[in-house]
Amino acid sequence: MFQKVSYLIDYFKYIDNPFTALKFKFGFSKKCNLKIKNTNYYITLHNINSLNRLMNVIPTISNDKLNNFLKYIDDIDNDKKYVEINDLTFINIYNSNFQKNKQHDYSIHLEEFFTDDEWDMVNFSGRHVIDIGGNIGDTPLYFAKMGAEVISFEPVHHLYDLGVRNIELNEKYSDKIIFVNKGVGGKRGTITFNFETVKGYTDEKSYEMEIISIQDLLNDYDFTPDILKMDCEGCEFEVILNNDLTMFNDVIFEHHSKLVGKDYKSLINKLESEGFKTNIYSVAASRMNFEDIGIIHAFK
């Protein structure tokens, strides 16, 4: 109940004409022209989902990124085929033609470009990044844009397929990226993904996913171990607790303790036993406590 009240208060906190937005939200108007507080930006919305996305994300955005975020919402609402974020081009998965042909529920994290500088504690220029959890190609493209050579792993079929297309759209960075449809875990093998495992993430009822260990990865791809990044919805426990990571200079990852029901402190203890120091950061976009989800940077 409190969360719903807080959500409604946000309309008055961030919008100069909140009643216009609420009339639109509850179906009393077909569009709304909104004035965002502390900006000169007006935005006209025709889709309630665009309004919901705006209001979900805007409390976590810094002022210097607000105008770019509003343009992103405007592009989504106007059914643009592509969206541009920080000199990177992505397929707009909210485009009606795209969704019509892709009935499953895509997961997208492009909003994190506006809410969290999750990986900015590391200078990526001239570095080598192993990216576990490449999603729709957003993180490998970010690292490549920052000057790194990247090998990125995304096991979920439709996210990988979309990632391939996004990487191809960004030709000036694509030659710095190897994108692989595999998972990374504690040892080589396969696991079966089924509908209950990844509900909403696939049209297939089940499929076999190949999993490799960190050592397998280094052997198979002959890639320099330098920076290890993980955002893989819980697999960070399997990777960190069951692999020797001493060859890396930096390990940066989101922990998902609440999702998997494990204590993130075990990850810090393992990394510190391998000679790393650690810093911790909150994830602004989640609005959750660090104990539930957070960013950990291990470094030497």
Side-chain angles (χ1 to χ4, degrees):
M1 180 64 180
F2 173 78
Q3 189 173 17
K4 290 182 179 179
V5 172
S6 176
Y7 182 78
L8 288 175
I9 290 173
D10 282 346
Y11 281 81
F12 295 85
K13 186 174 180 180
Y14 297 103
I15 298 177
D16 272 340
N17 51 338
F19 290 108
T20 299
L22 290 170
K23 282 174 61 179
F24 175 64
K25 177 177 177 62
F26 293 113
F28 294 105
S29 58
K30 293 184 178 181
K31 67 177 182 179
C32 62
N33 186 30
L34 302 181
K35 168 67 167 61
I36 308 302
K37 285 188 176 180
N38 303 317
T39 75
N40 295 318
Y41 205 108
Y42 288 83
I43 185 169
T44 300
L45 300 180
H46 306 82
N47 189 318
I48 292 174
N49 289 332
S50 301
L51 176 64
N52 291 338
R53 186 160 295 277
L54 169 70
M55 295 311 302
N56 184 55
V57 179
I58 200 170
T60 64
I61 293 179
S62 57
N63 286 336
D64 61 317
K65 296 181 179 180
L66 184 56
N67 281 355
N68 286 336
F69 172 68
L70 294 173
K71 181 183 181 304
Y72 167 77
I73 293 294
D74 199 17
D75 287 346
I76 288 174
D77 188 77
N78 283 284
D79 218 24
K80 295 285 183 67
K81 186 175 182 180
Y82 303 108
V83 293
E84 304 284 337
I85 305 174
N86 298 340
D87 194 35
L88 295 172
T89 303
F90 298 94
I91 292 170
N92 176 14
I93 65 166
Y94 303 107
N95 176 282
S96 59
N97 289 328
F98 186 88
Q99 288 186 321
K100 182 170 62 177
N101 297 319
K102 303 287 184 182
Q103 295 302 314
H104 36 230
D105 177 22
Y106 276 81
S107 174
I108 191 169
H109 302 288
L110 294 182
E111 286 82 2
E112 290 182 357
F113 278 107
F114 304 105
T115 61
D116 288 292
D117 295 315
E118 284 197 314
W119 320 114
D120 68 347
M121 71 287 291
V122 174
N123 181 358
F124 293 97
S125 180
R127 307 287 297 275
H128 289 76
V129 180
I130 294 174
D131 176 23
I132 300 175
N135 201 267
I136 61 168
D138 50 331
T139 49
L141 281 168
Y142 169 77
F143 298 136
K145 181 189 171 187
M146 300 302 290
E149 299 288 332
V150 187
I151 184 168
S152 182
F153 293 81
E154 176 50 58
V156 179
H157 288 176
H158 72 268
L159 296 180
Y160 170 80
D161 291 342
L162 184 54
V164 169
R165 295 172 64 185
N166 283 329
I167 291 168
E168 289 173 347
L169 284 173
N170 295 271
E171 292 183 3
K172 60 183 174 181
Y173 304 118
S174 60
D175 63 345
K176 291 177 169 288
I177 299 169
I178 302 169
F179 200 45
V180 183
N181 189 203
K182 293 181 182 178
V184 181
K187 61 181 180 179
R188 188 186 291 273
T190 60
I191 63 171
T192 300
F193 260 32
N194 56 51
F195 184 75
E196 291 302 320
T197 307
V198 285
K199 189 172 183 180
Y201 278 81
T202 179
D203 287 335
E204 304 165 271
K205 289 188 176 180
S206 66
Y207 61 89
E208 292 295 311
M209 176 193 297
E210 183 178 356
I211 304 293
I212 60 175
S213 70
I214 292 292
Q215 195 57 57
D216 295 328
L217 185 162
L218 297 174
N219 292 339
D220 294 353
Y221 296 95
D222 191 27
F223 195 82
T224 302
D226 180 10
I227 299 173
L228 175 63
K229 168 266 173 184
M230 290 174 283
D231 185 0
C232 51
E233 312 306 312
C235 89
E236 67 277 3
F237 284 88
E238 181 74 12
V239 172
I240 292 173
L241 298 179
N242 295 285
N243 286 279
D244 175 8
L245 303 182
T246 56
M247 72 286 288
F248 291 96
N249 297 304
D250 293 271
V251 180
I252 48 177
F253 60 97
E254 274 193 13
H255 83 78
H256 300 84
S257 291
K258 184 172 183 177
L259 180 66
V260 298
K262 297 180 180 179
D263 190 343
Y264 73 90
K265 295 186 182 70
S266 65
L267 305 178
I268 290 179
N269 292 338
K270 171 64 159 46
L271 290 164
E272 290 182 346
S273 75
E274 293 182 331
F276 291 96
K277 299 176 183 178
T278 56
N279 287 329
I280 63 173
Y281 306 88
S282 62
V283 179
S286 73
R287 304 201 213 180
M288 296 172 66
N289 294 327
F290 176 83
E291 288 72 18
D292 297 325
I293 181 173
I295 300 166
I296 298 174
H297 176 209
F299 56 96
K300 292 179 177 176

